[in-house]
DNA sequence: AAGTGGTCTAGACCACGTT
DNA sequence: ACGTGGTCTAGACCACTTT
């Protein structure tokens, strides 16, 4: 009941890609292989694969086969921006400074920020860093990471690599939430950003999950005059 | 060459809907009628209609037929918020005031705002209105509408109905762009919003298109403490 | 040259909602 | 009850691209 065969084929493949079992560039089975595997006609397989291709999850190439689409770097960047890449795209020099970095067991506040219901403490990393463009402060980043998902080995990388960039390239996510607001910089952030305390800032708070598990919470504060969020989109989808 | 038959069927129907020849709620021909009309099999027609249904342009109902979708107050709300609905959802009383409303032929600045390349002037409506929640100013709206698309009869409705709400329910769009930034209210808007001029505000600029034609440009200014934009999303799709 | 995906056919049965 | 769309089959030919 419920699910049709082409839907099942589609979600089977989707699951393998999202779980990471099939990575970017991997070839997925040929149509005739899937026909055998599911005991169905080619049209049915084709409908499943066409759907996946339309959403951009796979690419289909004649004579070669169908492949897990390359980077989400392209499509995901539209929604989870990579700050160094954005600054580079504007032709500006990028700068990064790690301001603080603390490992601890999660407090109640941490779990609220990560939107965890549970009461159980988990190891988290709490860090703060500053992004610069052309030498000038561009954004402040306050971040909480779930160390049950982010491996400890990664932590030392954050001395030189922005954690957002590292995450984008190493941890697949299945869901995210952006919360965008405006507010004054306030005294502490004003000092770190080199602006006056009542400067209007764009504040982006983002949470990401991998399946049921929270991955990270981040609050990015941009002085208003330095940043615009742009999103182009079509109905429904 | 180039275009396959199901693509041609699809774009034929798309054109009729976007031109307004077939309006929301209209029934489009049955599959078997299209089979005759194009002299093809049902699968081919089905592929065309399925595609249109996936993008939300039509709705298909068993036993009844396929219909031009009503422009989607529901699903679009996630991306193009309807302010009265949002305020009602919070349980607050909603208020609307039309502050100014001018009909004119587009200036160069108007066409820039609408992202029109052409030099040819078109009739536009320039209006400004204020939204209130619980009696307090909630947001200012500055809007430019393309009167080649929005019918003149609608204009008088804007005395009492917010133009964004009217558009959401009457004009289908195919593409939109949000541009989000933060900045001080400034003296003029501060007065209209009842805040101090240096208050941090969230500014959302949105452009929408119907096919190649610009529909509207709107700038919404929210006092920072009153509004958050929330978007939940998944990769790819 | 060979084999992939892209498209299309002419059927079929079924689920479902309108009548 | 009926007719719609939803799904599926077992073929077929073609265009393209890699080998």
């Amino acid at each position: 009941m419920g699910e049709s065969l082409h839907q099942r084929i589609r979600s089977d493949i989707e699951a393998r890609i999202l779980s990471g079992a099939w990575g970017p560039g991997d070839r997925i089975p040929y149509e005739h292989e899937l026909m055998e595997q599911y005991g169905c006609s080619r049209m049915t397989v084709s409908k499943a694969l066409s759907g996946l291709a339309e959403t951009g999850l796979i690419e289909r190439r004649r004579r070669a086969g169908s492949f897990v689409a390359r980077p989400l770097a392209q499509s995901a960047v539209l929604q989870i921006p990579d700050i160094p890449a954005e600054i580079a795209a504007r032709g500006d020099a990028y700068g990064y400074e790690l301001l603080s970095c603390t490992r601890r067991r999660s407090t109640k506040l941490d779990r609220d920020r990560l939107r965890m219901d549970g009461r159980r403490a988990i190891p988290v990393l709490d860090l703060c860093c500053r992004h610069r463009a052309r030498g000038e402060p561009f954004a402040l980043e306050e971040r909480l990471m779930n160390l049950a998902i982010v491996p400890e080995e990664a932590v030392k990388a954050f001395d030189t690599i922005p954690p957002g960039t590292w995450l984008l390239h190493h941890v697949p996510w299945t869901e995210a939430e952006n919360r965008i607001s405006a507010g004054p910089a306030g005294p502490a952030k004003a000092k770190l950003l080199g602006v006056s305390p009542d400067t209007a800032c764009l504040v982006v708070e983002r949470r990401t999950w991998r399946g049921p598990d929270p991955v990270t919470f981040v609050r990015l504060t941009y002085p208003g005059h330095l940043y615009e969020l742009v999103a182009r989109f079509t109905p429904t989808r």
Side-chain angles (χ1 to χ4, degrees), chain A:
Chain A
M1 34 210 129
E3 213 181 29
S4 61
L5 183 51
H6 72 261
Q7 281 173 343
R8 201 185 120 208
I9 299 175
R10 180 170 171 170
S11 43
D12 280 359
I13 295 173
E14 222 164 50
R16 285 191 182 85
I17 294 175
L18 292 181
S19 75
W22 293 348
D26 288 358
R27 189 179 62 71
I28 73 173
Y30 294 122
E31 291 191 349
H32 69 83
E33 292 173 330
L34 290 168
M35 286 169 62
E36 278 185 33
Q37 186 176 328
Y38 288 94
C40 68
S41 77
R42 194 173 147 225
M43 280 291 311
T44 304
V45 167
S46 176
K47 184 159 191 174
L49 296 187
S50 300
L52 290 167
E54 265 180 37
T55 67
L57 207 60
I58 68 171
E59 282 176 20
R60 314 190 72 191
R61 294 203 296 272
R62 285 179 156 102
R63 167 74 216 207
S66 299
F67 300 82
V68 177
R70 269 294 157 193
L72 311 137
Q74 257 185 344
S75 53
V77 155
L78 295 172
Q79 304 177 313
I80 298 205
D82 182 45
I83 294 173
E86 282 191 316
I87 292 178
R90 310 191 316 176
D92 291 340
Y94 172 75
Y96 167 74
E97 298 154 277
L98 183 61
L99 302 176
S100 72
C101 183
T102 315
R103 191 187 284 99
R104 65 162 173 270
R105 290 184 69 76
S106 63
T107 65
K108 179 75 173 64
L109 174 61
D110 293 338
R111 290 192 292 280
D112 283 348
R113 284 180 168 171
L114 290 169
R115 293 277 192 274
M116 304 182 64
D117 328 306
R119 222 168 282 99
R120 232 185 59 245
I122 55 162
V124 294
L125 194 72
D126 181 350
L127 61 80
C128 182
C129 59
R130 178 164 50 193
H131 304 271
R132 290 175 182 271
R134 278 182 316 200
E136 295 301 309
F138 178 79
L140 272 188
E141 172 174 337
E142 306 162 88
R143 187 182 287 269
L144 212 56
M145 300 172 84
N146 178 355
L147 286 176
I149 286 190
V150 177
E152 294 274 350
E153 307 89 74
V155 173
K156 56 180 165 299
F158 303 151
D159 288 342
T160 55
I161 301 174
T165 303
W166 188 92
L167 281 171
L168 257 187
H169 293 89
H170 292 85
V171 177
W173 52 279
T174 57
E175 192 162 13
E177 180 188 284
N178 275 339
R179 192 170 292 263
I180 300 158
S181 58
K189 286 174 190 166
K191 205 165 179 181
L192 292 166
L193 288 169
V195 297
S196 74
D198 59 1
T199 299
C201 291
L202 190 67
V203 179
V204 177
E205 292 185 349
R206 178 163 44 239
R207 295 171 174 83
T208 59
W209 290 265
R210 197 181 67 184
D213 305 314
V215 175
T216 191
F217 163 80
V218 60
R219 181 189 293 125
L220 292 159
T221 304
Y222 303 85
H225 57 104
L226 282 184
Y227 194 65
E228 279 185 328
L229 262 174
V230 181
R232 236 185 139 86
F233 52 93
T234 49
T236 66
R237 42 160 356 211

